Amino acid sequence: MKNYYEILQIPRNASNNQIKAAFRRLARQYHPDYNPNDPEAVTKFREIEQAYRVLSDKDKRKEYDRSLSPEIPTFQRSAEDFYQQGWHYAQEKNYQLAIAFYQQAIAINPQFWQAYLQRAEVYYHNQQDRQVLSDCRQVLQLKPDCSQAYYYLGLSRQRLGYTQSSLEAYGKAIAIDQNNPQFYYQRGLALEELSELPAARKDFQIAAKKFKQQGNFRRYHAIINKLKYVHKSYRQQQSIKWSKTLFIIFNLLKISFLSLLKPKTGLAESFFKLDRNQALATGILAAIVSSFFIAFTWQNWTVKSEFLLLLGWAAFPFITLTLSSWLGRKLSNKYGSFTGDIFLAGLIILPFSIIILLTSYLSINGDIIGAIIGVTGGYLTGILYYSYRHLSNISSQISLLLLPFVLGFLTVNIWGVYYYL
């Protein structure tokens, strides 16, 4: 006659949870209500009940264990037996019992990498991500080229929030097995999570193609629908980027022209309202926009040189103003920053570039255009002087010395290109 451990199909050192799980499984299988025409099921069910009553009671189990004769073999199985039983329970989604059997397999054979891998999969389905990471590392020590271990490593990293790190794991899984579409699909999801939509779309396309080649049309159509959503998200993302860019440009223009209304302190007040990165970006963007405006102005004035050459010359006013502010600070031994120099230069040259560009489109008397440019230049010269003083902290004497040199160079640059190119 089988002993109670054999009846419940559990090892001699089974835990209480294993005993309960085995009883529930076998009781469902052999319960008389489910087997009305099978008298053997009734007998089997009674054996199971008797075995459970004894083994589930701590004192009765001790007494029973002492009664077992050494000649009577207990329920001994190999690591492979436990592994197969664990796989069976995993398919039934009985994860706790599957983990217990995989544990028994590993205890018998610590080098059994398949048991670690299957236990990692069960841990993942059971939301135990830290254990997944541990088992995957163990698998990779025993079998470094196991693509599934890298795959589950990536899945758990991603669920734990380490999405960037998960990309590395998915990449290694793909490098080992380039024909598994699930690897590409999961990496695509990680890339989508990081808003790297073009790269995500590429991985989804590869996954869809491979699923189709395998005849898995359900997954193929699901990913095709996913691609439509990703494409829509990408277009929305690009639209948002353009909207942000337009907002920055609008804000730049607003700061610039509001500063004109307060010639003494306007630029300084605007600068101190921004942080360092905002001020730097504003100054550089103003320089880029003004360079294009000046180059377009020269083209409208029928300067026949290549546009890129004109664009290069158009950057000199900004460079001159930036260096003049920097030099003035050094000569005055005053505190300040190069970011402030860039901000000042960009927002001084931008209004001037707008005015000369607009006048290049006007069909009016040249003297009137000259007067408009002259008045604008004079007004901006006053703003430049006060900006030297309040934004760059340059002394009054050095500011007055810098102005004629700066204005002279700007005049030679603007009009020299018109006359000599």
Side-chain angles (χ1 to χ4, degrees), residues 213-231:
Q213 289 171 347
Q214 294 176 1
N216 192 338
F217 294 102
R218 182 182 64 82
R219 292 299 306 277
Y220 166 74
H221 290 297
I223 296 176
I224 292 299
N225 290 332
K226 177 73 174 175
L227 276 167
K228 293 177 182 177
Y229 170 78
V230 171
H231 180 66

Side-chain angles (χ1 to χ4, degrees), residues 49-60:
E49 278 192 314
Q50 178 62 24
Y52 177 69
R53 275 197 296 270
V54 172
L55 297 184
S56 61
D57 185 287
K58 184 178 180 181
D59 295 330
K60 289 181 181 179

Side-chain angles (χ1 to χ4, degrees), residues 179-368:
N179 294 317
N180 192 319
Q182 187 62 30
F183 296 168
Y184 291 98
Y185 177 72
Q186 199 62 43
R187 188 172 68 175
L189 291 178
L191 289 165
E192 182 185 17
E193 188 176 323
L194 294 171
S195 297
E196 298 181 22
L197 298 184
R201 184 167 54 183
K202 183 178 179 181
D203 270 353
F204 289 145
Q205 288 170 340
I206 295 172
K209 181 180 179 181
K210 291 185 179 295
F211 275 124
K212 186 177 182 181
Q213 289 171 347
Q214 294 176 1
N216 192 338
F217 294 102
R218 182 182 64 82
R219 292 299 306 277
Y220 166 74
H221 290 297
I223 296 176
I224 292 299
N225 290 332
K226 177 73 174 175
L227 276 167
K228 293 177 182 177
Y229 170 78
V230 171
H231 180 66
K232 182 178 179 182
S233 298
Y234 177 70
R235 291 182 63 183
Q236 290 175 344
Q237 187 183 76
Q238 294 300 108
S239 177
I240 290 171
K241 285 182 178 179
W242 276 108
S243 297
K244 287 182 177 179
T245 303
L246 291 174
F247 175 77
I248 291 172
I249 294 173
F250 174 77
N251 198 46
L252 167 65
L253 294 173
K254 184 179 73 172
I255 290 173
S256 177
F257 286 106
L258 286 178
S259 299
L260 294 176
L261 302 177
K262 299 175 68 176
K264 288 188 176 182
T265 59
L267 279 185
E269 290 176 1
S270 297
F271 175 75
F272 292 120
K273 287 178 182 178
L274 304 174
D275 63 32
R276 181 180 179 278
N277 290 334
Q278 290 174 330
L280 185 62
T282 302
I284 291 174
L285 185 56
I288 293 171
V289 173
S290 61
S291 296
F292 273 93
F293 285 174
I294 293 171
F296 282 130
T297 300
W298 283 329
Q299 277 197 333
N300 291 342
W301 286 351
T302 66
V303 176
K304 296 181 180 180
S305 297
E306 293 289 335
F307 183 77
L308 288 178
L309 177 62
L310 294 178
L311 196 59
W313 281 105
F316 276 95
F318 167 74
I319 295 171
T320 301
L321 287 167
T322 302
L323 292 178
S324 71
S325 177
W326 173 81
L327 179 61
R329 286 192 297 104
K330 296 301 179 184
L331 293 174
S332 297
N333 294 316
K334 295 287 186 177
Y335 62 89
S337 69
F338 195 62
T339 299
D341 302 333
I342 292 173
F343 181 84
L344 180 153
L347 292 183
I348 285 292
I349 199 64
L350 179 61
F352 183 73
S353 68
I354 293 173
I355 293 298
I356 63 171
L357 178 62
L358 291 176
T359 58
S360 70
Y361 286 101
L362 297 177
S363 299
I364 56 177
N365 185 280
D367 293 336
I368 298 175

